[in-house]
Amino acid sequence: MLTVNHFLQLAPFKTFKLVAGANGLENDITGVNILDNPNASDWLSAGELLITSGYFFSENTEIQKRFIQRFKEINCSAICIKPHIYLKGIPQSMRDLANELALPIIEIPYGIAFSKIMNIVMGEISGRMNERNQASLAIHSQFFEISLHGGGMKKIAASLAKMVQNPIVLIDSDWSVIACNDNKHPLIQETIKKIGNTFTFPIEFFTDLPTNFERIKKPITRPFFFAEKEYPCVIVPVYFDTVHYGFILVVQIERPLIDFDYIALENGSMAFALEQIRLFEIERTENRIRRDFFDHLLSGQIKDLDALATYDTPIDPTLNYTVLILSLQKSGIQTDSLMKKKQAEDRIMKSLLSSLTSYTANRFPHLHLFSRKNQLVLLLGTDPKSSAFKTHNELSDTAERIRMYLEQQGPAERNFFCTIGSTLPILELAQSFEEAKKVIQLLENDSKEEKIYFFDDVYFDSFLVDSISKEQGKKFYTHYLDTLLTYDLENKTNFTLTLKAYLAHHLNIATTSRALFIHRNTLLYRIKKIKMLLPVALDQEKNTFALQLALRLYDLHH
């Protein structure tokens, strides 16, 4: 390898002067880069020899120190500075810090072109590429064996940690920890946060990550603070063929990374992506098989118990079953791209299905589930001898526990609501499924103040929607409410809402005024106006029923 010491011994560089960082003379030089843009430091790589005029840190001592620190975190081999244009001399503060960090600072004589330095260094390095290629091939073979034999993420993390001699964390695209190898130091275990059954790496530790930096496909280095001490942390995006699989994190506790370590990380990221693809395909296949069975069952294609027995399923045909559908009402995803939102929702549902499967395995032995779009479909078995009251309570309790568990698995703004069909024998489950879906349809424009809805609670609404067409419903409510609705629209009043509350409280002035939080006299005034606007008298029972029906049809079809 070409070291900083060898570089200074080359004939063209005999006049170069080492001014600081003598303890870093054995640093390996793996490349060369010109840097005069302060925002380009994320594009630097370990082992690079930096050439700069010092323009971007020429006037500020704190900026000088910050960049020297950053170059050390990246593990650059040395810094060559031409100080005669912007820097009158290399400041003592820079020299002191470079000495402390063992980062060589080399003064370039006036008149030496940057391009000449680059050409000579790259020529020297190219003669040493065979050693690098051999190392890359050996590392590739190790990861190929891991992938070939299904070693899994833990094996990938362990192999990487051994190669780079530092703790390794594998993280998915949502910063959930997949695998961690931190045997010598409890650094990661003490840092990651547990949310439900998921361990999440605290991304807030890194305050200045570039936007969409995973697409850069290049490692970047950021400081990682633990126990009041700072460690350089290398973050490697795993991004192939427009798909972001996650990150590899290396916390440099044992030693700085060298060029061969980055070769290992590059090969490790490929193994990471292949393993993620393999796991996704296995899960997708299992879910498709499970979903196909449930599709047949819930569409009524399985007609008898003999046909049911041909499927490899743990469903107990002696139990009654109920369909519960948990719908993702609000995902908490912030993006303007419909494609990105759909991809993010798919990842969420895949993660939730896996997490919920583990959560329910022992707690609810007669519960079966699968996912479809942004919904989780559950089949809960109950004892057919149980009373309707007991079964209802069991369904309510199960639905609430599962709903709360799901909402705890992600951001606070993520919301689910649950719809529940009738409890029926296994071969009649298609009806329960249709009922649960019908509840979702009826709630489409509802604010969903409640979180759990039974079909029995909306049976009347379902009957109205199925029995009365939209055109007939509109004709009916227009006959009774058109004048009132028009008056509200033109005068910005809420008499329609007042009428609904008045009818709901059986024409009782006291309870209606309390429910609407208005004074009794205000309600009396409104009722007087409403009576003038309605085509029928409010004091006749048949009219109150007709008005309630008209208001309900208006809500359902408007």
Side-chain angles (χ1 to χ4, degrees):
M1 294 292 292
L2 177 66
T3 66
V4 177
N5 191 36
H6 292 152
F7 165 78
L8 290 171
Q9 300 303 316
L10 295 175
F13 307 135
K14 289 285 188 180
T15 57
F16 284 29
K17 182 181 179 182
L18 177 70
V19 297
N23 289 336
L25 285 174
E26 295 307 313
N27 292 349
D28 292 327
I29 299 175
T30 60
V32 61
N33 212 328
I34 296 175
L35 183 68
D36 265 330
N37 180 350
N39 297 320
S41 62
D42 279 334
W43 294 92
L44 301 178
S45 298
E48 285 187 331
L49 179 75
L50 303 184
I51 307 173
T52 180
S53 66
Y55 166 72
F56 62 91
F57 55 68
S58 60
E59 297 180 357
N60 190 307
T61 302
E62 289 305 314
I63 292 178
Q64 292 167 6
K65 290 181 178 180
R66 189 177 74 209
F67 274 97
I68 294 295
Q69 186 72 47
R70 174 60 63 86
F71 299 152
K72 179 61 179 180
E73 290 173 355
I74 298 169
N75 295 320
C76 297
S77 59
I79 309 168
C80 294
I81 303 176
K82 184 184 288 188
H84 309 286
I85 301 175
Y86 301 107
L87 285 170
K88 301 308 178 185
I90 298 175
Q92 188 60 45
S93 59
M94 286 180 64
R95 300 182 187 216
D96 292 342
L97 183 57
N99 284 327
E100 179 185 337
L101 299 176
L103 178 63
I105 294 181
I106 301 168
E107 184 177 324
I108 304 173
Y110 186 78
I112 302 293
F114 287 176
S115 59
K116 180 179 180 180
I117 301 172
M118 291 187 69
N119 290 335
I120 294 173
V121 171
M122 292 308 298
E124 288 290 324
I125 291 173
S126 63
R128 296 171 169 84
M129 286 301 292
N130 185 55
E131 180 184 355
R132 188 177 186 275
N133 291 336
Q134 290 295 325
S136 179
L137 183 60
I139 292 169
H140 174 77
S141 298
Q142 290 185 52
F143 283 112
F144 179 76
E145 286 294 318
I146 293 172
S147 299
L148 188 64
H149 295 98
M153 291 298 190
K154 288 186 177 179
K155 183 66 173 177
I156 292 171
S159 297
L160 265 177
K162 185 176 180 180
M163 291 176 188
V164 304
Q165 299 175 31
N166 277 298
I168 289 286
V169 193
L170 304 184
I171 294 173
D172 70 13
S173 56
D174 294 320
W175 290 83
S176 294
V177 177
I178 302 172
C180 174
N181 192 281
D182 189 22
N183 297 328
K184 293 184 179 180
H185 306 274
L187 181 67
I188 305 304
Q189 287 86 343
E190 295 183 14
T191 304
I192 57 179
K193 299 181 297 185
K194 186 176 182 182
I195 302 177
N197 288 341
T198 302
F199 291 90
T200 302
F201 191 88
I203 186 175
E204 62 270 15
F205 274 27
F206 308 122
T207 57
D208 60 343
L209 293 176
T211 304
N212 296 325
F213 83 95
E214 66 274 4
R215 298 189 181 184
I216 299 175
K217 306 179 188 179
K218 178 192 175 300
I220 66 172
T221 304
R222 290 295 183 270
F224 179 89
F225 294 93
F226 175 75
E228 299 182 353
K229 187 173 181 181
E230 179 181 315
Y231 301 95
C233 180
V234 175
I235 308 170
V236 184
V238 183
Y239 191 96
F240 293 100
D241 194 25
T242 73
V243 179
H244 179 214
Y245 295 97
F247 304 94
I248 299 173
L249 270 60
V250 188
V251 185
Q252 299 178 69
I253 298 175
E254 299 294 334
R255 63 169 178 80
L257 299 188
I258 61 174
D259 188 38
F260 287 149
D261 296 328
Y262 285 91
I263 297 173
L265 290 172
E266 183 178 348
N267 283 275
S269 65
M270 178 64 75
F272 180 121
L274 290 173
E275 181 65 14
Q276 285 283 70
I277 292 169
R278 187 182 74 85
L279 293 174
F280 174 75
E281 288 301 320
I282 290 173
E283 187 173 348
R284 190 174 66 152
T285 301
E286 290 176 348
N287 191 48
R288 186 176 66 246
I289 294 170
R290 186 166 56 245
R291 188 173 61 241
D292 288 347
F293 162 69
F294 286 127
D295 282 345
H296 291 159
L297 179 65
L298 297 178
S299 63
Q301 295 181 46
I302 300 176
K303 303 294 186 181
D304 53 54
L305 295 179
D306 290 337
L308 179 66
T310 62
Y311 292 88
D312 182 18
T313 170
I315 282 182
D316 185 349
T318 65
L319 299 177
N320 283 342
Y321 280 87
T322 311
V323 173
L324 300 84
I325 301 178
L326 283 139
S327 300
L328 183 60
Q329 180 182 0
K330 190 176 180 182
S331 65
I333 299 169
Q334 305 293 330
T335 177
D336 295 330
S337 169
L338 292 177
M339 178 67 72
K340 288 184 179 179
K341 184 176 182 181
K342 178 64 170 59
Q343 291 174 345
E345 287 180 346
D346 287 345
R347 288 198 303 269
I348 288 172
M349 295 309 296
K350 182 181 74 171
S351 173
L352 289 175
L353 177 63
S354 176
S355 179
L356 187 59
T357 300
S358 300
Y359 173 74
T360 59
N362 297 321
R363 293 175 176 85
F364 308 101
H366 299 299
L367 187 141
H368 313 278
L369 65 153
F370 68 100
S371 66
R372 55 194 304 158
K373 297 182 180 178
N374 65 334
Q375 297 173 339
L376 292 168
V377 182
L378 287 68
L379 280 63
L380 180 63
T382 52
D383 187 348
K385 297 178 182 178
S386 295
S387 66
F389 178 77
K390 183 178 179 181
T391 300
H392 184 279
N393 286 344
E394 183 178 347
L395 289 167
S396 296
D397 179 66
T398 301
E400 181 62 13
R401 287 172 64 186
I402 290 175
R403 186 193 64 78
M404 290 181 64
Y405 171 79
L406 291 173
E407 291 189 357
Q408 290 169 359
Q409 300 308 298
E413 62 270 23
R414 185 182 295 173
N415 293 322
F416 282 84
F417 70 96
C418 181
T419 60
I420 304 174
S422 299
T423 301
L424 297 165
I426 187 66
L427 297 178
E428 299 175 31
L429 210 52
Q431 177 184 331
S432 182
F433 182 51
E434 290 302 318
E435 290 171 352
K437 290 196 298 182
K438 190 58 173 288
V439 179
I440 296 174
Q441 178 186 339
L442 293 170
L443 295 173
E444 184 176 3
N445 298 317
D446 193 272
S447 60
K448 302 180 185 64
E449 295 178 359
E450 302 295 327
K451 295 298 183 180
I452 298 174
Y453 299 85
F454 283 83
F455 178 70
D456 288 345
D457 297 336
V458 295
Y459 185 83
F460 180 67
D461 290 346
S462 176
F463 174 79
L464 292 180
V465 169
D466 291 342
S467 304
I468 303 175
S469 68
K470 192 170 184 177
E471 292 75 17
Q472 291 174 321
K474 183 176 182 180
K475 185 177 180 181
F476 186 89
Y477 73 68
T478 299
H479 174 77
Y480 285 97
L481 303 174
D482 187 56
T483 307
L484 183 62
L485 293 169
T486 302
Y487 185 89
D488 272 349
L489 183 63
E490 292 177 351
N491 296 277
K492 294 182 173 54
T493 55
N494 55 359
F495 289 168
T496 305
L497 180 62
T498 302
L499 174 61
K500 185 186 293 187
Y502 187 50
L503 293 172
H505 289 86
H506 312 291
L507 312 187
N508 186 297
I509 294 294
T511 57
T512 304
S513 61
R514 284 197 296 268
L516 294 175
F517 301 101
I518 60 175
H519 193 273
R520 173 189 177 90
N521 292 340
T522 303
L523 178 60
L524 289 172
Y525 166 77
R526 291 186 187 179
I527 296 300
K528 181 179 179 180
K529 292 288 294 184
I530 290 170
K531 287 180 177 179
M532 295 172 59
L533 293 167
L534 291 176
V536 294
L538 266 176
D539 54 359
Q540 296 183 27
E541 184 177 353
K542 68 175 183 179
N543 291 339
T544 59
F545 174 75
L547 287 168
Q548 285 180 306
L549 182 58
L551 287 165
R552 192 64 200 137
L553 287 170
Y554 174 77
D555 288 340
L556 290 171
H557 294 302
H558 185 257

